[in-house]
Amino acid sequence: MHIPVLTIDGPSGAGKGTVSRIVAKKLGWNYLDSGSIYRSLAIALLQENADLTNETEILVVAQTMDLAFECQDGLIVKLNGQDITSQLGTEATGNVASIVAAIPEVREVLLQKQKDFKKPPGLVADGRDMGTVVFPDADIKVYLTASVAERADRRYKQLIEKGISVNINQITREIEERDCRDKGRKIAPLVQAEDALYIDSSAMTIDAVITQVLSLVPQR
């Protein structure tokens, strides 16, 4: 049985998470937010009080954890049936995620975890290497981006709405630095797949991007 896969890759702030969740919901397909995979493992390790210097112990937790993503009003991430969404952005989670992401064997296990999200009736996967590394044979590939200035402005407005005081110039620098890291890393760098449709959302609304992406999916 053929299971269709739609990948949406791109840099931070391009809108791929929002677009992917809504597209998955409209299609009735499964959804994979690859960016939450390592943070979910970090939370699992913290819950288990695992020894972060013991790679064998880390691998066992990585192999046995059960992850699920639900697209409702926003993204809900469940680890072994427990909603961990609110814990994904904590500093402790980020620190542990950074440690485990540097272990090649862990990356291999989590690569398979990501592939396991491919289930009927289909999958929408968003990240930075979905169409190049995780699902190179995906039916439909999109590379969604926007100018640095536009992405910085979007992030600035998000933080201001949350009551967080920020500097637009600092946000711009951070985005530029992250782009450089993502594109320059040795393992699974951020690149556009040769067969991906390039979409620049700088001057587009979210609805317009969603409409364009949905138009790529054969009539259901």
Side-chain angles (χ1 to χ4, degrees):
M1 176 184 180
H2 177 69
I3 302 172
V5 176
L6 163 60
T7 61
I8 302 181
D9 290 308
S12 175
K16 61 184 182 295
T18 300
V19 170
S20 298
R21 287 194 298 273
I22 295 175
V23 167
K25 191 171 183 178
K26 286 182 176 292
L27 292 173
W29 289 6
N30 298 294
Y31 171 63
L32 167 61
D33 171 15
S34 65
S36 295
I37 295 285
Y38 287 94
R39 286 180 173 268
S40 296
L41 172 57
I43 292 169
L45 292 168
L46 289 169
Q47 290 179 345
E48 295 283 340
N49 291 316
D51 180 358
L52 298 181
T53 64
N54 187 327
E55 292 189 8
T56 300
E57 188 173 349
I58 293 172
L59 282 171
V60 169
V61 175
Q63 290 165 342
T64 57
M65 71 174 184
D66 179 50
L67 282 179
F69 296 94
E70 297 178 3
C71 302
Q72 297 182 10
D73 291 336
L75 173 65
I76 294 177
V77 181
K78 290 188 175 181
L79 170 66
N80 300 325
Q82 175 191 1
D83 185 348
I84 60 167
T85 310
S86 63
Q87 302 174 52
L88 291 171
T90 68
E91 185 175 356
T93 297
N95 289 338
V96 174
S98 179
I99 292 171
V100 298
I103 304 172
E105 292 81 3
V106 170
R107 296 189 69 90
E108 191 63 32
V109 169
L110 296 188
L111 174 62
Q112 186 57 51
K113 285 281 185 184
Q114 293 173 83
K115 291 182 177 180
D116 290 343
F117 273 82
K118 182 180 177 180
K119 299 175 182 177
L123 173 68
V124 177
D126 95 64
R128 287 171 175 74
D129 61 354
M130 295 295 97
T132 53
V133 176
V134 184
F135 300 106
D137 297 324
D139 303 74
I140 306 164
K141 299 179 185 180
V142 171
Y143 186 85
L144 180 61
T145 189
S147 68
V148 170
E150 176 62 23
R151 288 187 281 139
D153 185 60
R154 291 173 184 174
R155 182 60 175 161
Y156 175 80
K157 290 176 179 176
Q158 286 175 347
L159 294 173
I160 290 297
E161 287 177 0
K162 293 179 180 179
I164 301 173
S165 178
V166 288
N167 181 288
I168 187 70
N169 293 325
Q170 180 182 348
I171 292 175
T172 300
R173 285 195 300 272
E174 290 174 351
I175 287 177
E176 289 174 335
E177 290 170 359
R178 184 166 184 177
D179 283 355
C180 187
R181 286 197 305 271
D182 287 344
K183 293 177 180 179
R185 66 190 183 195
K186 293 182 179 180
I187 301 175
L190 171 62
V191 293
Q192 179 184 347
E194 292 183 0
D195 51 348
L197 173 68
Y198 181 92
I199 299 178
D200 186 334
S201 68
S202 299
M204 298 175 69
T205 64
I206 287 292
D207 286 344
V209 176
I210 290 168
T211 297
Q212 185 171 357
V213 172
L214 285 172
S215 72
L216 302 173
V217 182
Q219 287 189 341
R220 305 176 296 286

